[in-house]
Amino acid sequence: MPPLISAQHDRQTLEYRVNQAPTTSTDSTPGENGDTNGSWLIRRGLLLEYGPQRRLSFAGFVNQLGTAAFLATVPLYALRVIHLSIGQVGLGLGVAGVVGLIAGIPVGQLADRRGPKGIFLITLFIQALSMTSLLFAHSLCSFVLAVAVTDLAGSSGGAARGPMIRRFGGDEVPRFRSYLRSVAMLASTFGALAAGAVVQIDSDFAYRALIFANALTFIGSAAVLVKLPKLEPLPSPREEGRWIALKDKPYVAFVVLDGIMWIQSEVLSYALPLWVVLHTDAPRWFVGLAIAVNTVMVVFLQIRTSRGIKGGMVAGRATRRAGLAFLIGMAIIATASGVPSWAAVAIMMAGVATHTVGSLWHAAGSLELRFRLAPAHAQGQYSGVFGMGMGLCYTVAPSLLGLLCVTWGTPGWLVMGGVFVAAGLAMPYVIQWAGHSREIAGTTD
């Protein structure tokens, strides 16, 4: 990071900490300024100290809570309430996903130039409106329009949120981002439970109530973030053309490799359930148990795993270890076919635990490199590129995992694990390449 940008970033971070420092005012809310319960939660790492980081994490929890519930029920909403066909639902969600991918980079650049807070708030209000409009959708066209605008604004919000995480995180970005991932996992679990209740009720009113509640979560997130300090744009250290992130070949290479690695997040949620039902004698309830174990491990271990993952090469080595863990975990899961149900459960639980350890290492390395490799003044645009890469790989993941892990069976699990190993082994070389074209503190750690 050039000295001028680094100094300005450090000065603004110090100002945020001073302005948000706890006071002894009687206006403080419980747990914010020395409350016993709040202090215990802070000491245990379950709650952040009062300030911008806590606001950003709480807003993310509220947002993810509604989003997780919505994603789990939107296909049924389209089928049951709007009365679309399965083909139309797939088409609509596919179009919306593609539209969402294209928004991150330009909106991220706008956030870099205008300041990320205002742009992020606008995307939240747009999502609230588009989600509400879904209540009045009665055709394929109106359904596609509503979900496409929602995905478009969601992708844009992710690009604008990236600079906020980087700058409010200060010197603790890896720890802060890991905390945000743990919070998101917890919110997704509660959202999935809410979705399960709605699916069980299976009525038009229940589906509509969940859609409306999701719209309110966007308003709630915005209300929490309104009081965040304003982040002024950071000046560019030199004359640059537009779309510098897309021209940054080392960063694009990182996004490609990291996107391949992020396919691992779909192994337990997509490939494992199909494997359990179609290829093993394990009881179907094991799927829920596996996801629960994965969630608990991420919530309680992600922050601890991220300690010490600071610097480019350290993060690269963590990614390399993750690839090996994925191969071992997937190889273990693959051996569960053709054995008694109790043995299948024991084997796959060991595989799930090993895979989750790999996901902890990968997330820690990925989150460090995402910000480490991007210049401070263009975090929004780089976040847009990062989000587009992840989105493309999430789009490819179901078909790829379905072909390899479900159709090919045991050899396919090993092939997919080998892909993860290859991507992990290549990551340190990409980081070295990036280090030749920019100053990256900690690259040689």
Side-chain angles (χ1 to χ4, degrees):
M1 186 183 297
L4 175 62
I5 302 301
S6 177
Q8 181 170 352
H9 173 267
D10 293 341
R11 176 178 59 78
Q12 291 187 352
T13 301
L14 177 61
E15 290 175 354
Y16 300 147
R17 292 174 178 171
V18 171
N19 292 336
Q20 297 297 318
T23 67
T24 57
S25 170
T26 57
D27 294 334
S28 62
T29 57
E32 288 181 352
N33 303 317
D35 176 78
T36 302
N37 293 329
S39 299
W40 181 84
L41 292 172
I42 292 173
R43 287 197 303 270
R44 300 293 295 179
L46 301 177
L47 184 67
L48 297 175
E49 294 184 4
Y50 179 65
Q53 290 187 13
R54 185 194 287 190
R55 286 189 176 276
L56 198 58
S57 64
F58 181 65
F61 177 87
V62 174
N63 193 339
Q64 185 61 27
L65 182 68
T67 299
F70 169 73
L71 292 176
T73 55
V74 63
L76 288 172
Y77 178 81
L79 288 170
R80 304 283 196 187
V81 180
I82 306 179
H83 304 295
L84 301 180
S85 68
I86 294 178
Q88 289 175 320
V89 174
L91 174 64
L93 295 177
V95 170
V98 172
V99 170
L101 292 177
I102 66 176
I105 299 175
V107 174
Q109 185 183 44
L110 184 63
D112 291 329
R113 293 187 173 184
R114 301 290 184 180
K117 176 186 171 182
I119 301 299
F120 189 36
L121 289 175
I122 291 173
T123 64
L124 289 173
F125 284 119
I126 292 175
Q127 288 177 89
L129 292 174
S130 60
M131 188 57 53
T132 302
S133 72
L134 191 57
L135 295 171
F136 305 97
H138 299 291
S139 66
L140 174 61
C141 182
S142 56
F143 171 73
V144 171
L145 181 62
V147 293
V149 172
T150 300
D151 276 15
L152 192 70
S155 177
S156 302
R161 187 169 178 255
M164 298 171 70
I165 295 172
R166 175 64 184 89
R167 294 172 65 180
F168 284 131
D171 295 331
E172 300 178 341
V173 170
R175 179 178 178 274
F176 180 40
R177 191 62 183 84
S178 297
Y179 181 85
L180 292 177
R181 183 174 186 245
S182 298
V183 167
M185 287 289 290
L186 190 63
S188 296
T189 300
F190 289 130
L193 292 174
V198 169
V199 171
Q200 182 63 36
I201 297 171
D202 196 29
S203 68
D204 284 11
F205 177 79
Y207 289 119
R208 291 183 181 277
L210 188 144
I211 295 292
F212 183 67
N214 187 30
L216 292 180
T217 63
F218 296 121
I219 300 297
S221 296
V224 172
L225 296 174
V226 162
K227 293 185 179 181
L228 278 178
K230 183 179 180 181
L231 292 171
E232 297 294 340
L234 293 176
S236 173
R238 60 183 182 275
E239 290 296 326
E240 296 174 328
R242 301 181 66 182
W243 320 124
I244 60 171
L246 289 175
K247 298 175 183 177
D248 190 338
K249 294 180 181 179
Y251 192 84
V252 172
F254 154 70
V255 168
V256 171
L257 290 178
D258 195 56
I260 293 172
M261 293 292 287
W262 274 111
I263 294 176
Q264 58 85 10
S265 64
E266 298 291 301
V267 169
L268 300 185
S269 61
Y270 183 83
L272 182 66
L274 294 174
W275 180 251
V276 168
V277 173
L278 299 177
H279 293 275
T280 77
D281 293 324
R284 296 189 179 187
W285 52 258
F286 174 77
V287 173
L289 177 62
I291 294 176
V293 169
N294 172 258
T295 300
V296 170
M297 289 182 67
V298 170
V299 169
F300 287 99
L301 298 178
Q302 185 65 74
I303 297 176
R304 180 175 298 181
T305 304
S306 299
R307 294 171 185 169
I309 307 296
K310 188 174 183 180
M313 293 308 297
V314 175
R317 288 193 291 269
T319 305
R320 186 172 57 197
R321 290 196 305 272
L324 182 60
F326 293 146
L327 174 60
I328 295 173
M330 296 177 75
I332 293 173
I333 292 173
T335 63
S337 179
V339 302
S341 61
W342 65 268
V345 169
I347 290 171
M348 288 192 293
M349 184 56 68
V352 168
T354 304
H355 187 91
T356 302
V357 170
S359 75
L360 293 170
W361 284 333
H362 168 237
S366 172
L367 299 173
E368 167 72 357
L369 292 171
R370 171 185 176 180
F371 296 107
R372 174 75 63 179
L373 299 180
H377 68 282
Q379 288 284 331
Q381 187 180 155
Y382 276 73
S383 292
V385 173
F386 182 84
M388 184 173 68
M390 286 188 64
L392 286 172
C393 287
Y394 280 139
T395 301
V396 172
S399 299
L400 181 62
L401 293 175
L403 172 64
L404 295 180
C405 299
V406 181
T407 303
W408 287 15
T410 299
W413 284 88
L414 298 177
V415 169
M416 192 67 242
V419 171
F420 290 138
V421 169
L425 290 174
M427 188 66 78
Y429 296 100
V430 170
I431 297 169
Q432 290 179 2
W433 180 22
H436 294 319
S437 60
R438 75 200 75 192
E439 173 140 5
I440 305 175
T443 298
T444 59
D445 289 356

